[in-house]
Amino acid sequence: MITSTEIVTPHSAAEAYAAYKGAASAVFLAGRQGVKYQKKHYDMAVDLSQTGLNYIEDCGDEIVIGAMVTMADLAASAVMKELAGGAVSRYLKEEAAREEMRRSTLGGLVASKMPFSVVLPILLSLHVDVMLQNKGRMNLNDYLGCPPMGEMITQIVVAKELVYTAYRAYRLSAADEPYLTGAVSLYADDSWQIVIGGRPGMAAIAKSASEELTEKGMAVRENVAHLASEELQFANYGTCSEAERRTLTIELVRKLIKEAWKGHSKQLQMNMKK
């Protein structure tokens, strides 16, 4: 567990960020992601629970999610049930029994950049930006690739589009951390996004595989599955070797492409009936 000399509970995002930047060493308390694994002392812990960042707003072409929205809040949200074929809601309902998941916040999850997260690959397969206090708006993929820069996430902004996302996580058992995760999204313009996580690095877009599938379609899905396993970096970690992860990625991508295509086809049919 982390420890601190002082805990402050600001009442706005601006106040929280000012306290964080003014301390010699500080950490944000924004959910439970990774906290129990850290063994570090800070001069100040900034509790974000009273900053007013717990909201989900449908803004027409975007969904704006406050950083302190919990996974339980997301799972219960009617707006999220419509997003990407309900991918986020479906996964969170599967995880509903886990206390850690119920109390975790979306901002904390994104900020922690957890390599074995299932939510991150889903978000990365969509068009998502993060809003950073005093630093503006940043694409999620760019944010995940940046080193720590003393940032504070205030919002996660998701584009509302006709898209279907399929996801999967490989685990030894239901209670275990995944050793490979992934998500594949198919958009209304026939473009694809393929994301693999738990490599054991954090989620990453398989760009070449995504572009190949977008350009040539379902006829090359087998080649695309192999391409995804070849273009990304994998390593030995835990119970799964690099070679096993590469082999499983082929199976993972193959299945997710098929599932996303079927789900998106149903989406289009339903839209035509409206």
Side-chain angles (χ1 to χ4, degrees), residues 28-106:
F28 289 120
L29 300 180
R32 301 183 62 183
Q33 294 88 345
V35 170
K36 68 181 181 180
Y37 302 112
Q38 296 183 34
K39 294 182 179 180
K40 190 172 181 180
H41 182 82
Y42 296 88
D43 290 333
M44 179 181 291
V46 183
D47 181 354
L48 301 179
S49 62
Q50 302 301 312
T51 53
L53 296 176
N54 186 5
Y55 53 83
I56 302 173
E57 297 178 355
D58 186 343
C59 298
D61 59 349
E62 295 179 331
I63 299 171
V64 179
I65 306 167
M68 290 302 289
V69 168
T70 67
M71 300 297 104
D73 294 332
L74 283 179
S77 168
V79 174
M80 296 304 295
K81 290 176 183 176
E82 300 296 322
L83 178 70
V88 174
S89 294
R90 290 200 313 275
Y91 170 66
L92 293 178
K93 285 184 178 180
E94 293 171 8
E95 297 294 298
R98 298 190 183 197
E99 179 67 17
E100 189 84 5
M101 181 59 72
R102 288 201 302 272
R103 295 180 59 180
S104 295
T105 62
L106 184 59

Side-chain angles (χ1 to χ4, degrees), residues 12 22 32 49 69 92 102 118 126 141 160 165 167 187 191 193 224 250-251 261 272:
S12 71
R32 301 183 62 183
S49 62
V69 168
L92 293 178
R102 288 201 302 272
V118 181
L126 304 174
N141 188 43
K160 284 179 65 179
T165 301
Y167 66 89
Y187 289 80
S191 63
Q193 189 86 300
V224 165
I250 297 171
E251 175 187 306
W261 182 81
M272 291 175 64

Side-chain angles (χ1 to χ4, degrees), residues 1-262:
M1 293 288 290
I2 65 170
T3 59
S4 65
T5 303
E6 179 184 8
I7 298 178
V8 297
T9 307
H11 288 81
S12 71
E15 185 183 340
Y17 191 62
Y20 176 82
K21 296 298 288 185
S25 65
V27 63
F28 289 120
L29 300 180
R32 301 183 62 183
Q33 294 88 345
V35 170
K36 68 181 181 180
Y37 302 112
Q38 296 183 34
K39 294 182 179 180
K40 190 172 181 180
H41 182 82
Y42 296 88
D43 290 333
M44 179 181 291
V46 183
D47 181 354
L48 301 179
S49 62
Q50 302 301 312
T51 53
L53 296 176
N54 186 5
Y55 53 83
I56 302 173
E57 297 178 355
D58 186 343
C59 298
D61 59 349
E62 295 179 331
I63 299 171
V64 179
I65 306 167
M68 290 302 289
V69 168
T70 67
M71 300 297 104
D73 294 332
L74 283 179
S77 168
V79 174
M80 296 304 295
K81 290 176 183 176
E82 300 296 322
L83 178 70
V88 174
S89 294
R90 290 200 313 275
Y91 170 66
L92 293 178
K93 285 184 178 180
E94 293 171 8
E95 297 294 298
R98 298 190 183 197
E99 179 67 17
E100 189 84 5
M101 181 59 72
R102 288 201 302 272
R103 295 180 59 180
S104 295
T105 62
L106 184 59
L109 183 148
V110 173
S112 63
K113 304 180 182 181
M114 288 183 170
F116 298 102
S117 167
V118 181
V119 176
L120 273 182
I122 295 174
L123 293 178
L124 197 53
S125 73
L126 304 174
H127 294 137
V128 176
D129 292 338
V130 295
M131 295 294 295
L132 305 175
Q133 183 67 31
N134 291 9
K135 295 184 179 181
R137 185 164 175 160
M138 189 176 192
N139 176 265
L140 176 62
N141 188 43
D142 293 337
Y143 173 78
L144 293 177
C146 281
M149 52 185 179
E151 74 281 3
M152 173 185 167
I153 296 176
T154 58
Q155 297 176 340
I156 295 87
V157 183
V158 187
K160 284 179 65 179
E161 302 172 272
L162 184 60
V163 54
Y164 190 92
T165 301
Y167 66 89
R168 191 175 293 258
Y170 287 104
R171 310 173 190 264
L172 287 178
S173 71
D176 288 330
E177 186 175 62
Y179 52 84
L180 188 71
T181 65
V184 171
S185 289
L186 173 57
Y187 289 80
D189 63 357
D190 294 327
S191 63
W192 294 80
Q193 189 86 300
I194 299 170
V195 180
I196 306 298
R199 304 171 295 106
M202 66 180 164
I205 299 170
K207 294 182 179 178
S208 296
S210 300
E211 291 170 359
E212 181 78 359
L213 189 58
T214 298
E215 179 182 351
K216 299 180 181 178
M218 291 289 286
V220 297
R221 61 187 181 275
E222 186 64 28
N223 290 340
V224 165
H226 285 266
L227 181 58
S229 75
E230 294 165 1
E231 69 170 289
L232 294 173
Q233 296 296 316
F234 296 85
N236 302 322
Y237 184 82
T239 59
C240 197
S241 69
E242 174 188 349
E244 288 170 328
R245 282 189 167 90
R246 289 191 185 279
T247 299
L248 284 172
T249 295
I250 297 171
E251 175 187 306
L252 175 70
V253 173
R254 184 191 294 131
K255 289 180 177 179
L256 291 182
I257 289 174
K258 184 177 181 180
E259 185 180 337
W261 182 81
K262 286 184 175 180

